[in-house]
Structures are given as structure tokens and as C-alpha cells.
């Protein structure tokens, strides 16, 4: 089987790592990929947003499956165009991807499907949450506990343009719950917890995610299955009945409130950096599962979850999330890998054969172990061996998890 993987981040490197172990894989291609992915397959200089370029590449490679990592090409309709050409795609149509692309659409679907979510408010009054309606790369959400925060949020949301959604402010732990979907059926994956704030103790601005771990205490396979039953399956049914069947991975950001789980958002793709902690825990034929989902035939998929735990720490540029870093040499990856850790490239580039920084989140260091605490220790041991100018990372990823 020839697979074309679309994207260039740590999530895609983790996907490439997992796919490259599949017995059924003949060739792995990536568009555009990154220097880490280049060690596992062939990278082509086609951007993830270049729909026409991707169509041409999938055609010339005679790809059997295209796996789309990021949301923007999906919301832009890349999966529809590829399907028109007869290519199997793991990723939703533009219509189904609106579940991520439009917060108000997601709300409508949840309301129709009876899925518990934060209430929409008609007036912006504290405490509340202000959200830009469209895609904003994780930056369009403002949690407002006082009037000053609310004023700033309204100004910032107005600067992004477009409509806003006002929501009740929910309190609780957040988890990321994923299900592989074939348009009609959903297969639950292990729950993962992500650390969104840039600084330790969950302070500072929101980011794409500074680390992740799995399993989440109290949210094993049975609980994940229950959440998928309450959340993903009704949404899938609702989307299918409105003519927009969802094929790909449906990712629910769920807040565990004292009144039960509430959906904060949906994404139409794998989480980043959740995927880096999720995939090392999966046993079984992952490529086969993606192919069956893409073909609308998930019925006999069972991906076992290993007991092992995984922890991922994001090594970011010094000024992330305000700005990234470009061109600083990176050292110590081989040494970190020698400890047994996985080092996924998220924002790197080659400059005269030298690996350098190129982005906000630069590397993701993932380690596994019998418990979260073991995996965590191994991940941090590997992080300490890596260096680049300005490198920052949170030292408290999964620190509070002591009993799994
Ligand atoms: P979203 O992009 O909608 O997931 O929002 C990003 C982050 O903002 C979430 O992970 C939460 O930490 C926070 N957030 C979003 N909606 C709410 C809400 N209704 N109540 C409290 N926090 C929220
Ligand atoms: N880590 C959260 C996301 O991928 O949206």
C-alpha cells in the first residue's frame, strides 16, 4: 500500500512513525513532511494547503490512501477533491469538517444530537468565554473571569474579524477523546490529556499544546467508550443524516465538570501533541484501521491499547506562542533517542545539512514506561540532552499524575 501523508508537524511525524511500522505499507510519502519524516519516507515539496498540488501528487504517486493531518486543508475541501479522483482519504469532507471550522455549526449539531456542551449566551457578561467563530489555530478563545479580560477579549475577537460565540464558563479537568470514524461507525481510541498553557501551573497564554500524556486516570478504555457513546456516535449520526458523513478522526475536547462531561470543541483531525502520546500506546493494525475507515468499513476494527503509559514534552522556541524561531542549530537529538525516547520533529528544517529550528513548537519528546511517572522521568531525561538557542519547555507535564 502506498500512503501519502499530508502535513509537516510533530503529529504528522508521529503518524509517519506509526504507519512506517505497518506490515501492509509499501511506500510512505509526505507533503510537505519535515526532516524527521524524511527519515521514514519520501517528502515532496507540496504544501498541505495546496489542494491542486496534492491532487497532482496523489495521482502521480498512485496513492492508495491519503491521510490528512491538519485541519486547514480539510476545511478547505481537499478530501472532497481527492475522493472525486477516486483516491481513498482518511479525513472528512469540507462539509463535515465544519464541525471544527465553525463553532456555531458545531453547536447546532450538538444541540440537534443532544450532546452535552457549554451553553451559548446571548449577552457577553462575566464569567464567560468568547470564541471567534472560524478557525483561529487555537488562538480565538478567551476565558473571561473579570470585566477587564472581557473587554480585552472582545477587542481581540473583533480584530480577528467574523462572528463571535459567547459561552458559559465551565470549570473542570479537560481531556481529549478521539474516535476513528467511517461515516457511520466510531471506534474509540485512548483518552489523552493535553497541557494548553505555555507556562507551568497552567498559566500564561494558550498554545497549540505544550505536552500530553496517556492514560488519563479514571478514563481507561471503558470510560473512553462511554464518552464516545455519549458524544461521538450521536454527532456522527447527526452529520450523516444531514448529508455530511464524517470520515476520519473526530476529536472532542471534553471538560469533566461536576455535572458530567461537556464538549468544549470538536476537531476534525488528530490532536497535536496528543497523537504523540496516543500512537505509542496502540497495538494492532493502525494502517488497516485508517484504510477501513476511509473505505466506510470500520466494522471489524479493534485496535488494542497497550498498558504502557506515554508522556510527551514539547520543546518550543523561546518566544512561543508570541513568535517562533528560525535557523538556530539543534543539538542532542541522537543522544536523546539513544535513551529510548522518541523525538518527533515539529518545527525543524535543514540548512546546509544542519538541523535548525523553524517554527514555534520545535520538537516533541515522547517516552513510554510502565506508568505515567516512569514515562515522564524518561521523557525529561531525554529533553535534557537536547538544546537549541532559547529552548523552553514546561517541567510539569503529567507531574500531578501519580497513580497510573
Ligand atoms: P477550544 O479551542 O474551544 O477548545 O478552547 C480552547 C481552550 O479554552 C479549551 O481547551 C479550554 O481550556 C478553554 N475553554 C473553551 N471553552 C471553554 C468554556 N466554555 N469554559 C471554560 N473554558 C473553556
Ligand atoms: N492539542 C490540541 C489540538 O490539537 O487542538
Amino acid at each position: 500500500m502506498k500512503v501519502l501523508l499530508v502535513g509537516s508537524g510533530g503529529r504528522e511525524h508521529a503518524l509517519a512513525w506509526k504507519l512506517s511500522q505497518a506490515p501492509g505499507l509499501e511506500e510512505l510519502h509526505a507533503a510537505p513532511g519535515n526532516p524527521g519524516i524524511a527519515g521514514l519516507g519520501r517528502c515532496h515539496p507540496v504544501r498541505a494547503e495546496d489542494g491542486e498540488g496534492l491532487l497532482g501528487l496523489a495521482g502521480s504517486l498512485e496513492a492508495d490512501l491519503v491521510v490528512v493531518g491538519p485541519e486547514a486543508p480539510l476545511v478547505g475541501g481537499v478530501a472532497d477533491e481527492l475522493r472525486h479522483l477516486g483516491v481513498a482519504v482518511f479525513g472528512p469532507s469540507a462539509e463535515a469538517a465544519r464541525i471544527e471550522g465553525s463553532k456555531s455549526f458545531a453547536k447546532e449539531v450538538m444541540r440537534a444530537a443532544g450532546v452535552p456542551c457549554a451553553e451559548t449566551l446571548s449577552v457577553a457578561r462575566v464569567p464567560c468565554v468568547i470564541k471567534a467563530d472560524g478557525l483561529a489555530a487555537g488562538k480565538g478563545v478567551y476565558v473571561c473571569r473579570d470585566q477587564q479580560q472581557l473587554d480585552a477579549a472582545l477587542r481581540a475577537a473583533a480584530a480577528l474579524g467574523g462572528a463571535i460565540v459567547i459561552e458559559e464558563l465551565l470549570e473542570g479537568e479537560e481531556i481529549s477523546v478521539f474516535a476513528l470514524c467511517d461515516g457511520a461507525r466510531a471506534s474509540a481510541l485512548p483518552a489523552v490529556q493535553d497541557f494548553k498553557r505555555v507556562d507551568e501551573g497552567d498559566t500564561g497564554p494558550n498554545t497549540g499544546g505544550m505536552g500530553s500524556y496517556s492514560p488519563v486516570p479514571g478514563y481507561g478504555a471503558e470510560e473512553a467508550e462511554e464518552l464516545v457513546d455519549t458524544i461521538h456516535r450521536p454527532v456522527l449520526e447527526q452529520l450523516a443524516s444531514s448529508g455530511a458523513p464524517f470520515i476520519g478522526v473526530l476529536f472532542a475536547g471534553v471538560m469533566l465538570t461536576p455535572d458530567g462531561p461537556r464538549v468544549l470543541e470538536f476537531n476534525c483531525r488528530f490532536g497535536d501533541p496528543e497523537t504523540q502520546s496516543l500512537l505509542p500506546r496502540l497495538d494492532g493494525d493502525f494502517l488497516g484501521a485508517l484504510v477501513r475507515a476511509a473505505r466506510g468499513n470500520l466494522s471489524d476494527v479493534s485496535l488494542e491499547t497497550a498498558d504502557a503509559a506515554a508522556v510527551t514534552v514539547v520543546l518550543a522556541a523561546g518566544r512561543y506562542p508570541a513568535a517562533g524561531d528560525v535557523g538556530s542549530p539543534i543539538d542532542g537529538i541522537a543522544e536523546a533517542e539513544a535513551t529510548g525516547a522518541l523525538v518527533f520533529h515539529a518545527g525543524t528544517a535543514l540548512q546546509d545539512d544542519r538541523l535548525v529550528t523553524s517554527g514555534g513548537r520545535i520538537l516533541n519528546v515522547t517516552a513510554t514506561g510502565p506508568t505515567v511517572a516512569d514515562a515522564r522521568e524518561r521523557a525529561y531525561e531525554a529533553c535534557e540532552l537536547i538544546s537549541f538557542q532559547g529552548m523552553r519547555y514546561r517541567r510539569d507535564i503529567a507531574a500531578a499524575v501519580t497513580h497510573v
Side-chain angles (χ1 to χ4, degrees):
M1 170 146 311
K2 289 186 196 168
V3 177
L4 172 61
L5 174 64
V6 177
S8 62
R11 165 185 52 207
E12 286 77 21
H13 189 180
L15 285 165
W17 169 79
K18 192 69 181 174
L19 291 171
S20 67
Q21 296 162 22
L25 184 83
E26 285 165 49
E27 291 177 22
L28 179 65
H29 297 267
N34 67 34
I37 296 172
L40 301 166
R42 201 162 140 218
C43 295
H44 302 264
V46 175
R47 286 178 309 110
E49 293 75 26
D50 176 3
E52 249 174 61
L54 290 177
L55 291 188
L57 183 60
S60 68
L61 293 172
E62 297 183 5
D64 301 296
L65 177 73
V66 177
V67 178
V68 184
E71 62 277 17
L74 294 166
V75 173
V78 146
D80 306 71
E81 293 178 41
L82 286 163
R83 282 194 190 101
H84 274 303
L85 281 188
V87 183
V89 187
F90 183 80
S93 66
E95 188 61 24
R98 289 176 70 209
I99 197 81
E100 172 164 2
S102 163
K103 305 249 185 221
S104 52
F105 175 74
K107 274 267 148 75
E108 273 166 41
V109 171
M110 283 192 275
R111 214 169 288 131
V115 169
C117 57
E119 294 284 333
T120 303
L121 308 175
S122 50
V123 182
R125 191 177 298 139
V126 288
C128 69
V129 179
I130 303 290
K131 299 186 176 186
D133 193 21
L135 281 187
K139 289 180 194 141
V141 176
Y142 309 92
V143 174
C144 309
R145 292 178 199 279
D146 59 44
Q147 190 62 37
Q148 207 178 348
Q149 287 171 338
L150 178 57
D151 293 339
L154 290 171
R155 274 196 303 274
L160 287 173
I164 61 164
V165 172
I166 311 161
E167 265 182 14
E168 69 173 317
L169 178 77
L170 297 172
E171 307 280 1
E173 289 267 323
E174 281 178 62
I175 57 172
S176 302
V177 186
F178 302 91
L180 299 181
C181 303
D182 71 353
R185 282 161 291 230
S187 177
L189 295 172
V192 186
Q193 193 159 39
D194 170 28
F195 293 78
K196 290 185 193 296
R197 301 296 184 122
V198 74
D199 292 319
E200 278 147 38
D202 294 325
T203 56
N206 260 329
T207 69
M210 294 299 287
S212 64
Y213 73 92
S214 181
V216 182
Y219 286 85
E222 219 169 282
E223 290 80 9
E225 187 63 35
E226 258 172 50
L227 287 168
V228 167
D229 236 7
T230 321
I231 296 167
H232 300 64
R233 293 194 175 104
V235 162
L236 211 53
E237 206 170 302
Q238 178 61 31
L239 286 172
S241 70
S242 65
F246 188 101
I247 293 174
V249 65
L250 182 59
F251 159 6
V254 178
M255 189 164 272
L256 304 168
T257 77
D259 302 322
R262 297 279 183 276
V263 175
L264 294 181
E265 65 161 351
F266 281 110
N267 295 306
C268 65
R269 43 137 187 113
F270 281 105
D272 188 352
E274 286 95 326
T275 305
Q276 292 84 316
S277 291
L278 191 161
L279 295 182
R281 299 195 61 228
L282 285 189
D283 283 335
D285 185 6
F286 182 64
L287 171 58
L290 300 193
V291 171
R292 282 200 286 278
R295 292 186 180 152
N297 179 27
L298 251 187
S299 52
D300 52 354
V301 161
S302 83
L303 284 172
E304 294 293 313
T305 304
D307 287 337
V311 171
T312 299
V313 179
V314 171
L315 306 181
R319 291 170 58 215
Y320 181 73
D325 187 70
V326 176
S328 305
I330 302 171
D331 290 305
I333 292 183
E335 290 79 357
E337 285 174 336
T339 68
L342 296 160
V343 180
F344 296 119
H345 293 229
T348 69
L350 280 176
Q351 217 171 61
D352 306 325
D353 285 339
R354 181 80 166 97
L355 192 73
V356 297
T357 58
S358 179
R361 293 187 289 179
I362 308 296
L363 294 168
N364 311 143
V365 178
T366 302
T368 55
T371 66
V372 170
D374 288 313
R376 172 172 196 277
E377 205 176 301
R378 290 175 190 178
Y380 277 110
E381 195 189 313
C383 288
E384 278 160 27
L385 299 169
I386 299 178
S387 60
F388 54 86
Q389 192 189 314
M391 179 173 104
R392 71 188 286 178
Y393 58 97
R394 277 182 61 165
R395 322 258 154 181
D396 65 345
I397 301 301
V401 187
T402 50
H403 50 295
V404 275

